[in-house]
Amino acid sequence: MTDTSKVIEGRTGPWEMVLGLEVHAQVASNAKLFSGAAVGFGAGPNMQVSLVDVAMPGMLPVINKHCVEQAVKTGLGLKAQIHLKSLFDRKNYFYPDLPQGYQISQFKDPIVGEGEVIVERDDGSTFTVRIERLHLEQDAGKSLHDQDPNATFMDYNRAGTALMEIVSRPDMRCAEEAAAYVKKLRTILVYLGTCDGDMEKGNLRADVNVSVCRPGAYEKFRETGDFSHLGTRCEIKNVNSYRFIQQAIEYEARRQIEILEDGGKIDQETRLFDAVKGETRSMRSKEEAHDYRYFPDPDLLPLVLDPAWVKRIEESLPELPDAKKARLQSQYGLTAYDAGVLIIDQARSDFFEAAAKGRDAKLVANWVTNELAAKLTAGDLDISVSPIAPSEIAELVALIEEGVISSKIAKEVFERMWAGEGAPRAIVEKAGLQQVSDTGALEKIIDDLIAANPGQAASVAEKPQAIGWFVGQVMKATGGKANPGVINQLLKSKLGV
Ligand code: ADP
Ligand code: MG
């Protein structure tokens, strides 16, 4: 059955998109993949470059064991096969940012094989993206075209930095799914500690493959595995934000549909996303693998892993997002949706767990994912530096649970907490925000109201809903601080309903 939400209406009928992503994740490591040069952001140009990185004659690459361990860890986190034997190949091409004249990558025999990622959609439902492979490779340097009117400068700090290229199957069907996949993948890498996930610095970036086809074609592809059921794809290089990923996909799918509807055909090519114009444009027509003349790097032996070492890595894995999500649901009784929102950010779920001890977990989750998250986003703050501590959210929820404040007043208390007025209990006491549960005070207000509005009071006997008007009046008289449960009880007994 075709999911209508994925259909794009064209002039000549409906279309669907098919998306497969190649994500480049910089390995969290102090040193590069084949040299001891430091890795880090912000050093002066060419300050983190060894003779190996710039391919001085006679230099030899030496594999960095830590980077291999990070790739294995990532493979395990993606529930993927770890290949105990893999090969490094030279991918030959000329570019000024690549002094070797080739990139050391893995072609036929990558370190990690097939795996999967379970992805949450915005509505809380999930889908699975199959992983085809993960391989290790070197990053290139950087050409600086804007430093001098007549020259291009080269910065090789990034040359030779270890990247993991994670290739998905074409399992995403709309722009939101592609962004959600990158988000979940990033979360897994950050939990594992194998990539810092910093997309702004380009430490995690995606090449997005887009094709379009008629409804039904994708299902045929899934049944048979035959790519000829799909349309020709274009690859959009190096997109480094969720928003740009979505914009690039939407634009690209539309572009392809227009060409096809005009009777044209799609050329398989590599395109760039122009974030300013919101367009993709052609960079080069797609090169074939044979253009790169891949061959095993004669300077590097096959990479052979000890199964016992892999096992030790597996046993040392931290709790991963999916396991944490399941635990938050069973331990705290959260919905899949709430748990899914919490686990996307490790610090957020840690914050939640610190606040939820002994409290109404659903309420705590709401405060963390709604009010607090909104404030943090507005202030561009990470939850790890939240000015409100988990213990303070716990205290706020305790006040609601104890009936000291209503949820409405809690919002006001929260505003004051955010403004730095102190801990919630102290704020409530100082500002006199306690709910009026004192029946004596409430009774007096109610008696006066009934006396002043005999008509309204009489109507309650016939129309019990009319009691709502009285509740509203009492709330007004107490500045919203009356306990609604207590008011209702008192009104019912006094009005005889
Ligand atoms: P290359 O090395 O040429 O980039 P790969 O076989 O590694 O090719 O595939 C690149 C990506 O393209 C993969 O993520 C794959 O899922 C995706 N892909 C392949 N065919 C299609 C298609 N018809 N539509 C969308 N994505 C596709
Ligand atoms: Mg590719």
Side-chain angles (χ1 to χ4, degrees):
M1 205 182 71
T2 303
D3 179 347
T4 50
S5 66
K6 295 193 173 93
V7 168
I8 309 164
E9 286 304 334
R11 269 188 290 115
T12 62
W15 296 89
E16 292 180 356
M17 56 172 102
V18 176
L19 310 165
L21 268 62
E22 299 158 88
V23 169
H24 284 99
Q26 183 178 315
V27 175
S29 163
N30 294 327
K32 295 184 180 179
L33 184 54
F34 297 113
S35 84
V39 172
F41 190 80
N46 297 308
M47 299 299 282
Q48 300 180 330
V49 181
S50 81
L51 297 175
V52 176
D53 306 329
V54 283
M56 287 297 148
M59 293 298 112
L60 288 173
V62 177
I63 185 90
N64 177 341
K65 188 174 178 184
H66 177 68
C67 293
V68 175
E69 179 172 346
Q70 294 287 61
V72 169
K73 240 188 208 173
T74 306
L76 293 168
L78 301 176
K79 300 186 216 96
Q81 301 166 317
I82 305 301
H83 293 160
L84 295 177
K85 182 175 170 194
S86 65
L87 293 179
F88 284 102
D89 298 285
R90 290 187 180 181
K91 181 180 183 181
N92 298 282
Y93 60 98
F94 174 80
Y95 214 73
D97 62 15
L98 188 76
Q100 283 169 160
Y102 57 84
Q103 175 192 33
I104 306 179
S105 180
Q106 298 191 296
F107 184 49
K108 285 212 185 73
D109 295 287
I111 185 165
V112 176
E114 293 180 345
E116 66 172 40
V117 177
I118 296 165
V119 184
E120 282 75 18
R121 294 193 188 88
D122 278 348
D123 65 2
S125 64
T126 60
F127 65 100
T128 301
V129 174
R130 296 166 300 159
I131 299 298
E132 188 178 315
R133 59 189 274 152
L134 173 156
H135 64 255
L136 277 168
E137 63 182 27
Q138 301 175 295
D139 204 350
K142 198 163 124 194
S143 304
L144 305 169
H145 302 294
D146 55 358
Q147 309 283 307
D148 185 284
N150 301 312
T152 290
F153 292 155
M154 299 307 305
D155 177 3
Y156 290 112
N157 281 350
R158 228 174 48 194
T161 299
L163 299 178
M164 298 179 280
E165 177 168 335
I166 303 166
V167 183
S168 85
R169 300 271 181 202
D171 288 356
M172 288 146 279
R173 308 302 315 285
C174 61
E176 294 75 24
E177 285 190 359
Y181 161 70
V182 177
K183 202 177 264 188
K184 183 61 180 284
L185 182 60
R186 178 185 178 279
T187 299
I188 295 171
L189 300 182
V190 171
Y191 271 55
L192 287 164
T194 57
C195 171
D196 69 10
D198 193 332
M199 297 178 78
E200 265 173 45
K201 292 190 184 131
N203 296 352
L204 188 91
R205 49 197 199 256
D207 297 345
V208 186
N209 295 272
V210 182
S211 68
V212 297
C213 60
R214 293 294 191 181
Y218 182 76
E219 287 70 16
K220 285 213 189 86
F221 158 70
R222 288 300 291 260
E223 269 163 38
T224 59
D226 180 354
F227 277 85
S228 70
H229 290 294
L230 301 181
T232 303
R233 71 188 151 104
C234 288
E235 176 177 359
I236 309 156
K237 277 275 173 210
N238 276 335
V239 197
N240 72 340
S241 83
Y242 303 126
R243 195 159 57 88
F244 293 162
I245 288 172
Q246 295 191 49
Q247 287 176 352
I249 290 171
E250 299 286 357
Y251 178 89
E252 180 59 20
R254 276 271 155 219
R255 186 188 74 87
Q256 293 182 12
I257 290 170
E258 269 166 39
I259 291 175
L260 292 170
E261 296 200 319
D262 287 343
K265 85 183 216 327
I266 307 300
D267 294 323
Q268 187 176 336
E269 59 181 2
T270 302
R271 300 179 68 84
L272 281 178
F273 178 63
D274 180 333
V276 179
K277 294 206 181 105
E279 299 173 354
T280 65
R281 66 183 135 79
S282 184
M283 182 175 152
R284 55 173 185 255
S285 71
K286 185 68 189 180
E287 64 289 325
E288 299 287 339
H290 62 248
D291 294 337
Y292 290 124
R293 307 232 187 274
Y294 276 105
F295 67 89
D297 192 311
D299 290 338
L300 288 159
L301 288 168
L303 183 61
V304 178
L305 308 178
D306 174 1
W309 183 67
V310 173
K311 191 146 187 17
R312 277 203 300 282
I313 297 174
E314 185 162 20
E315 285 161 359
S316 72
L317 290 183
E319 181 182 38
L320 291 174
D322 293 330
K324 190 176 212 173
K325 183 178 169 190
R327 183 173 62 75
L328 294 185
Q329 286 180 253
S330 66
Q331 187 175 338
Y332 298 96
L334 295 183
T335 60
Y337 176 80
D338 282 339
V341 171
L342 285 169
I343 52 113
I344 277 296
D345 179 349
Q346 200 167 23
R348 187 190 295 177
S349 47
D350 288 347
F351 187 107
F352 162 78
E353 290 206 74
K357 277 194 199 81
R359 299 268 74 87
D360 179 335
K362 171 77 191 155
L363 262 184
V364 173
N366 284 346
W367 281 96
V368 173
T369 57
N370 299 329
E371 270 77 8
L372 183 63
K375 285 279 187 217
L376 291 167
T377 305
D380 199 17
L381 290 173
D382 194 83
I383 195 162
S384 57
V385 294
S386 166
I388 295 181
S391 61
E392 293 173 318
I393 292 290
E395 193 174 306
L396 182 68
V397 169
L399 290 169
I400 302 169
E401 287 182 292
E402 291 161 16
V404 176
I405 53 174
S406 64
S407 356
K408 189 159 160 273
I409 293 291
K411 295 217 163 92
E412 182 185 338
V413 176
F414 179 80
E415 289 296 328
R416 290 169 179 253
M417 288 160 70
W418 186 263
E421 289 185 30
R425 210 174 277 277
I427 291 173
V428 167
E429 273 160 28
K430 207 160 124 218
L433 294 170
Q434 298 88 334
Q435 281 195 117
V436 183
S437 298
D438 166 2
T439 44
L442 288 176
E443 259 180 288
K444 166 90 175 61
I445 296 172
I446 291 170
D447 287 342
D448 291 350
L449 268 173
I450 293 174
N453 301 282
Q456 292 276 5
S459 73
V460 172
E462 295 138 41
K463 252 193 354 185
Q465 319 85 285
I467 208 166
W469 181 84
F470 282 97
V471 176
Q473 293 302 307
V474 180
M475 277 296 186
K476 211 162 151 192
T478 56
K481 288 183 295 181
N483 181 326
V486 176
I487 312 179
N488 262 304
Q489 243 174 1
L490 287 174
L491 278 169
K492 280 184 183 155
S493 76
K494 292 202 182 269
L495 294 167
V497 290

